[in-house]
């Protein structure tokens, strides 16, 4: 079983739509969770950290369910500029130096 | 603040040749990472340095890959000899503090390697 699993998509949505991405992780000892965004042929960049209580940053909302080992990202009022690949990221165990484990990414295309 | 620098940006080599990549992390960042990203996959950690010591190299194919971070600043990643399956983008990242919970990693633009 992979450490971090995501639906690869692609998700094709019209501008203004709400879209949700899901992610599951296998290591119950993981302590840090993130969503990174990666534009085509660019490097990944941190979108937001994910906290146990859930957190929101503008149109983006992240949720964490530790019991189910499940992370989600909700994007409201999608913009054309949101088109990218969204990577679910979970930190590893202490023995690995807390290295980050990346999912394969979910591809989003927002259309006019 | 300058970001993570990598060179070269692109490299094309034939199989069995050698290649080296260079990374200069953000100034003052203690932790440096090398990732391999194959097309359609997420980045996979190859090696993690904390200052000039190796923290994790469990996924580094040591028969052909090597990396060093002399003086705890710049780092080089070498592949010798290259195989077709090494075609990927090699990303370098750094984080400001010692490895731990919640550190954001800042990525460089990557080196796109094509092995023919």
């Amino acid at each position: 079983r992979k450490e971090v699993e995501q639906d690869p998509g692609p998700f094709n949505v019209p501008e203004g739509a709400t879209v949700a991405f899901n992610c599951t992780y296998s290591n119950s000892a993981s302590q840090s969770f993130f969503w990174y965004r990666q534009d085509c042929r660019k490097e990944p960049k941190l979108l937001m950290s994910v906290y146990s209580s859930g957190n929101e940053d503008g149109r983006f909302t992240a949720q964490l369910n530790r019991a189910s080992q499940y992370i989600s990202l909700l994007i409201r009022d999608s913009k054309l500029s949101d088109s990218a690949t969204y990577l679910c990221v979970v930190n590893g165990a202490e023995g690995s130096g807390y290295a980050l484990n990346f999912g394969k990414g979910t591809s989003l295309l927002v259309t006019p | 603040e300058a970001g993570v620098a990598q060179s070269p940006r692109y490299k094309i080599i034939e199989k069995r040749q050698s290649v080296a990549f260079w990374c200069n992390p953000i100034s003052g960042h203690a932790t440096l990472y090398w990732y391999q990203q194959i097309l359609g996959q997420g980045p996979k950690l190859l090696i993690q340095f904390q200052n000039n010591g190796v923290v994790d190299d469990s996924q580094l194919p040591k028969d052909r890959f090597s990396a060093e971070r002399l003086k705890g600043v710049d780092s080089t990643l070498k592949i010798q000899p290259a195989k077709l399956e090494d075609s990927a983008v090699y990303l370098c990242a750094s984080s400001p503090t010692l490895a731990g919970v919640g550190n954001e990693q800042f990525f460089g633009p990557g080196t796109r390697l094509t092995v023919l």
Side-chain angles (χ1 to χ4, degrees), chain A residues 55-97:
Chain A
N55 49 298
E56 188 174 305
D57 182 1
R59 298 181 293 107
F60 299 83
T61 300
Q63 298 277 354
L64 168 64
N65 184 323
R66 286 185 183 272
S68 302
Q69 295 178 204
Y70 170 94
I71 305 162
S72 66
L73 176 68
L74 183 77
I75 305 175
R76 292 182 300 277
D77 189 22
S78 299
K79 311 291 185 190
L80 296 177
S81 57
D82 294 334
S83 298
T85 296
Y86 291 83
L87 298 161
C88 178
V89 187
V90 176
N91 86 307
E94 180 176 353
S96 70

Side-chain angles (χ1 to χ4, degrees), chain B residues 62-115:
Chain B
K62 298 180 185 65
D63 57 334
R64 297 184 301 106
F65 286 64
S66 64
E68 60 183 10
R69 191 185 184 197
L70 300 176
K71 302 180 182 178
V73 182
D74 294 5
S75 178
T76 56
L77 175 69
K78 296 180 182 177
I79 307 175
Q80 181 179 6
K83 292 186 175 182
L84 296 177
E85 59 261 35
D86 298 332
S87 294
V89 176
Y90 291 84
L91 294 161
C92 179
S94 68
S95 60
T97 62
L98 297 177
V101 174
N103 291 333
E104 177 180 356
Q105 295 186 17
F106 297 84
F107 285 82
T111 297
R112 186 173 299 273
L113 174 67
T114 301
V115 182

Side-chain angles (χ1 to χ4, degrees), chain A residues 31-32 34 36 38 41 43-44 46 87 91 95-100 102-104, chain B residues 35 37 41-43 45 48 55-56 91 99-102 104-105 107-109 112:
Chain A
Q31 300 179 50
S32 296
F34 310 90
Y36 274 69
Q38 187 170 26
R41 302 179 78 86
E43 70 272 22
L46 179 66
L87 298 161
N91 86 307
S96 70
Y98 301 103
L100 297 183
F102 286 77
K104 288 186 176 183
Chain B
Y35 290 89
Q37 187 172 24
Q41 307 281 324
L45 180 71
Q48 177 184 350
V55 175
D56 180 10
L91 294 161
V101 174
E104 177 180 356
Q105 295 186 17
F107 285 82
R112 186 173 299 273

